[in-house]
Amino acid sequence: PALDSIPGYVHDDEASNGLQARAIAEGQVPSLFGYGWANLPLLGYSWDALFFKLLGDSLLSLRLSSAVLGIASVAVLALLGGELFNRRVGVIAGTLLAVAHMAVHFSRVGHHYIHAMFAVTLTVYLLVRAFRASSALAAVAAGLLLSVDLQVYYAGRVAYVIVPLALLYFLVAGGRARLRQHMLLVAWMFGGWVVGVAPIGAVILGDWASFTARTRDVLVLGGTADTQAHVFSVYGTHDALTILKTQVWRILQTLNYSGDSSEQYGSWHPILDPLSAALLPSAVVYEIGRA
């Protein structure tokens, strides 16, 4: 049966995501270097389209595409933990993600949100691997993944904050003795990024308004008139400092206390499970003490 005739969607966005992916799977999209539904680059829908192509046009195919990336994210996080610390840390991190309610939820629905978690985690793993093992191949792969981070769900763009900070750390912490070697790895990574980002980069520069449209729509300090009206109804003000202070406090509460109020997750339990909720502040205090 056609995708849009199958009941059981969690949210209208799941249906829209599926219809866009189906259009790619059926060859209705002439190029993946462009924008699709909600002004997200089309490559962000091509993973789901692959499952339609392989397993047929169904809600099961759409949701299975998310499940595979959710499971793979657990493995990548375990590898990252092992690379940064040791195998035990990696296993603990992967285990906590495997039972994290929010990650499980978005790994079982046909949204494209889970793509960003997988892509950014893999990017960071390859980056760390490149510098820990002096691997030019991992550096090139991390650069290529940065182009993917631009094209999956919008949260993937946080990689462009994380990666420069990590590179700065590696360059400073390596000292003068390893500066030349590390600069060479940065060059390999930059080369991979240029190759990966060139096709979509031409599209982005040619239509910057489309690339930034979603951000402008939903930005808490900007956005459309409807967004601003919603912000005022929630915060009772348009003062930027007041909004940001309230937002930060609510984010912290969401992890351990108040839960989430969105339409697409909407669990009124804290985002972290009780064990992680207890461990997170303890871990932060411990790390500050060690530093």
Side-chain angles (χ1 to χ4, degrees), residues 251-264:
I251 288 171
L252 293 174
Q253 287 181 307
T254 300
L255 293 172
N256 288 46
Y257 174 67
S258 65
D260 174 74
S261 60
S262 71
E263 295 180 354
Q264 298 177 4

Side-chain angles (χ1 to χ4, degrees), residues 35 38-40 154 157 207-219 223-224:
Y35 299 103
N39 289 108
L40 188 72
Y154 312 100
R157 298 171 192 178
D207 190 2
W208 182 255
S210 292
F211 181 70
T212 58
R214 183 67 173 174
T215 304
R216 294 197 308 274
D217 286 344
V218 302
L219 197 63
T224 63

